Amino acid sequence: MAETLSPCSSRGQCQASMGTNTSSASMDTNASSSVVGGSAWRGREPFSVFTVLILTLLVLLTVATFLWNLLVLATILRVKAFHRVPHNLVASTAVSDVLVAALVMPLSLVKELSAGRRWRLGRELCLVWVCFDVLCCTASIWNVTAIALDRYWSVTRQLQYTLLARRRISNVMIALTWLLSAAISLAPLLGWGETYSPEQERCQLSQDPSYTIVSTGGAFYLPLCVVLFVYWKIYKASKFHMGGRRRNAVVPLPQAAQDKHTEHLP
C-alpha cells in the first residue's frame, strides 16, 4: 500500500513553517503600512518657503485692512467735524471694507490652505461667503463712485449743491449702493445659478451666463465707466476755472513801464 505523502513530515516542522509564514506576512503588512503611511506623510509635506511667504503677506494684508478701516470708522465717529458729507460716504466705504476683511478674506485663506483649493466647510458657509463677498465688494466700488459724484457736483454746481442738498443726496446714494449690492449678491440664493458643488467640493460665484453679465456689469464695468467719466468732467471743469482765473487776474506792469509812468507824474 502506497504511503500517503503529507506536506509536513512532522508536526513541529508544520508549526515552524506556519510561524515563518505568519511572521513574513506580518512583516509584509507592516512594510506596506509603512509605505502607505510614508506616502500619506509625503502628501502632507510642509508648504514651500514661497507659499509660506505669500500666506504671511495675505494674513498681514487682512489684518491691516481690518485695523485701518476700523481706525477710519472710529475717527469719523469720535470727531464731530467729520459728521457731514463726504465723510458719511467714506464711512460707508470703510464699513464695506471692514466686512470684507472680517468675513471674506479669512475664509478665502482657509480655501487657499486646503488641498486642491477645495471647499470643505459645507454648503451653508459657502453661500454666506459668496454672498458677503459680492455684497461688500460691490458696495465698496459703488461707494467710491458715490464719492466721485459728490465731488463732481461740488465742483460744477456750487450754488445748487448746498450743504442740505448734499447731505440728502449722499444719504440716498448710500442707500441705493447697499440696495443694489444686496440685489446682486442675493440673486444666487434665490435660484439664479449655483455656487456650491458637493461632488467637486467647489465654492465659487454663480457661473450662469446671464448672472455673470449682470453681476460684472453692475458691480464693476458700470461704476468704472461712471468714475472715469466723472473725473474727466472734474478735470475739464477745474481746467476751465483755472483758465478763467488767469484771464481775470491783474498782471503787474513791467519795472520800466512803472518808472516811465512815475516820471510823468507831477
Side-chain angles (χ1 to χ4, degrees):
M1 186 174 63
E3 294 182 356
T4 303
L5 297 177
S6 63
C8 310
S9 59
S10 64
R11 190 172 184 180
Q13 292 179 356
C14 246
Q15 292 178 352
S17 62
M18 290 176 62
T20 304
N21 293 334
T22 304
S23 61
S24 62
S26 63
M27 289 175 64
D28 293 338
T29 303
N30 295 331
S32 61
S33 63
S34 64
V35 170
V36 172
S39 61
W41 175 255
R42 285 194 298 271
R44 299 178 181 178
E45 288 180 354
F47 296 108
S48 63
V49 177
F50 179 75
T51 304
V52 172
L53 179 61
I54 294 298
L55 291 176
T56 304
L57 292 177
L58 290 176
V59 171
L60 293 177
L61 179 62
T62 302
V63 175
T65 302
F66 179 78
L67 294 179
W68 177 259
N69 288 280
L70 200 63
L71 181 62
V72 171
L73 284 175
T75 304
I76 294 175
L77 291 175
R78 290 179 61 87
V79 180
K80 292 184 179 181
F82 292 160
H83 295 176
R84 58 185 181 182
V85 185
H87 297 98
N88 57 344
L89 297 171
V90 176
S92 180
T93 307
V95 168
S96 60
D97 292 342
V98 164
L99 291 177
V100 168
L103 301 176
V104 178
M105 297 176 74
L107 293 178
S108 300
L109 285 175
V110 173
K111 182 182 177 182
E112 291 296 325
L113 289 173
S114 64
R117 295 182 178 179
R118 297 180 180 179
W119 185 266
R120 305 177 186 273
L121 301 177
R123 178 184 178 84
E124 290 75 14
L125 202 55
C126 171
L127 296 177
V128 172
W129 177 61
V130 172
C131 179
F132 274 100
D133 186 9
V134 177
L135 172 68
C136 300
C137 293
T138 305
S140 180
I141 294 173
W142 275 107
N143 280 317
V144 174
T145 307
I147 293 174
L149 288 172
D150 176 73
R151 291 178 179 176
Y152 170 69
W153 289 326
S154 299
V155 171
T156 59
R157 301 179 182 180
Q158 298 179 1
L159 298 179
Q160 298 88 351
Y161 201 52
T162 61
L163 183 60
L164 181 60
R166 193 178 184 186
R167 184 178 302 170
R168 290 177 179 175
I169 292 176
S170 65
N171 291 332
V172 171
M173 287 193 296
I174 291 174
L176 290 177
T177 292
W178 287 98
L179 287 175
L180 177 62
S181 304
I184 295 176
S185 63
L186 294 176
L189 300 182
L190 302 178
W192 200 355
E194 183 60 44
T195 60
Y196 179 69
S197 175
E199 294 81 9
Q200 301 177 358
E201 293 184 339
R202 184 182 59 187
C203 180
Q204 60 183 2
L205 296 177
S206 174
Q207 300 300 305
D208 187 90
S210 58
Y211 177 77
T212 302
I213 294 174
V214 172
S215 61
T216 54
F220 181 75
Y221 291 108
L222 180 58
L224 175 63
C225 294
V226 173
V227 169
L228 292 178
F229 175 76
V230 164
Y231 277 110
W232 177 67
K233 297 293 287 185
I234 292 175
Y235 169 74
K236 290 190 64 176
S238 302
K239 190 176 181 181
F240 175 78
H241 288 308
M242 291 297 294
R245 289 182 179 179
R246 289 177 181 176
R247 287 192 298 268
N248 297 328
V250 177
V251 180
L253 293 174
Q255 186 66 31
Q258 292 180 8
D259 295 340
K260 190 175 181 179
H261 178 70
T262 306
E263 291 176 359
H264 288 83
L265 290 176

